[in-house]
Amino acid sequence: MDMAAMITKLFVKNGMIFAFMLLGIIMFVAYKLGGLTKGRVHGSAIAIFLGLVLAYIGGVTSGGNKGIADIPLFAGMGLVGGAMFRDFAIVSTAFGADLREIKKIGWRGVASLFFGEFICLVAGIAVAYPLGYTSAVDLVTIGAGVATFVVGPVTGAALGASSEVIAISIAAGVVKSVLVMVVTPFVAKPLSIDNPQSAMAFGGIMGTTSGTAAGMAAVNPKLVPYAAMTATFYTGLGCLLFPSVFYFLTTLFF
């Protein structure tokens, strides 16, 4: 057995360790590229984009449905990118928040969540309806996907949407997440997102935890926990609103 085969076998056997090694390399490259933008695009945003590229390459190469994790050498990425580590990362972002600052936003933080969810419904309908998706189930599912790529599949499954529509909802959520993380540094100053309260309102309206966290990291890392704080509740609220209240409202017009 040659050296390359031995190394490959070692990496396959220790998939999780290799996954962390690969993530470290991706983060190193991403932050180097982010430095070239002089902080306008944060390294974490570039890292997420690179992760999406790898997932696409893995899916095309293997023909599977788990992205890069379908390739045996990169199977450990499936665990690292799974629900356990995702939820741990989301919850951990809140530990840097000051409870006194959170209390200051009060009802406005709650209102931002409902306002943001409703905007996603309207945006989803505005895009989906002209493309021929006219049933209430399809429109609400795609709108839910605009909220987050988790709310879309949950809503679609609850309402009995087709797999095609559910796939579109997931794609809409991914696109939104990437757009938020890229655009946030450019709109933060005009929108005066420079304090914990405005960051929490922004997180509540935009909703995507990964997008707002990466975007705010490029603006001010100290504001990341506050933006993520309200964004964390976004998915849960969306899973409650879209299959019930928003679906009922949509049936009144479509």
Side-chain angles (χ1 to χ4, degrees):
M1 183 181 294
D2 58 17
M3 183 63 69
M6 289 179 61
I7 293 175
T8 301
K9 183 179 180 180
L10 179 65
F11 286 159
V12 171
K13 187 176 180 180
N14 300 275
M16 190 171 178
I17 297 175
F18 178 62
F20 277 111
M21 286 177 53
L22 183 59
L23 286 176
I25 294 172
I26 292 174
M27 293 301 296
F28 177 79
V29 173
Y31 273 80
K32 286 295 182 180
L33 293 175
L36 297 178
T37 67
K38 297 181 179 180
R40 299 301 291 178
V41 179
H42 198 262
S44 57
I46 298 175
I48 293 174
F49 174 76
L50 293 176
L52 292 173
V53 171
L54 287 177
Y56 174 78
I57 294 173
V60 171
T61 303
S62 65
N65 55 13
K66 296 181 181 178
I68 196 71
D70 281 315
I71 301 174
L73 179 61
F74 304 103
M77 298 292 284
L79 180 60
V80 175
M84 179 178 67
F85 278 99
R86 179 201 66 201
D87 294 342
F88 172 77
I90 291 174
V91 173
S92 65
T93 57
F95 280 90
D98 188 335
L99 186 59
R100 292 170 297 182
E101 295 291 345
I102 295 173
K103 289 180 178 179
K104 289 180 182 179
I105 194 171
W107 64 268
R108 292 168 294 181
V110 178
S112 69
L113 287 168
F114 284 92
F115 184 61
E117 301 279 8
F118 183 73
I119 289 177
C120 291
L121 174 66
V122 174
I125 292 174
V127 173
Y129 190 83
L131 295 177
Y133 296 95
T134 57
S135 72
V137 171
D138 292 349
L139 293 174
V140 173
T141 300
I142 294 174
V146 175
T148 76
F149 49 77
V150 175
V151 179
V154 171
T155 301
L159 298 179
S162 66
S163 58
E164 174 192 350
V165 172
I166 292 176
I168 292 173
S169 73
I170 296 174
V174 173
V175 170
K176 173 192 172 182
S177 181
V178 173
L179 284 176
V180 170
M181 67 179 69
V182 172
V183 173
T184 297
F186 299 96
V187 301
K189 187 174 182 179
L191 296 179
S192 299
I193 306 175
D194 54 6
N195 59 77
Q197 287 74 46
S198 60
M200 282 188 280
F202 180 73
I205 293 174
M206 300 312 299
T208 165
T209 306
S210 56
T212 52
M216 291 308 301
V219 176
N220 185 349
K222 293 182 179 180
L223 297 180
V224 171
Y226 299 101
M229 173 65 69
T230 44
T232 300
F233 294 101
Y234 202 85
T235 297
L237 180 62
C239 290
L240 292 174
L241 287 177
F242 278 93
S244 54
V245 178
F246 285 169
Y247 174 68
F248 173 73
L249 291 176
T250 306
T251 57
L252 299 178
F253 300 96
F254 300 96

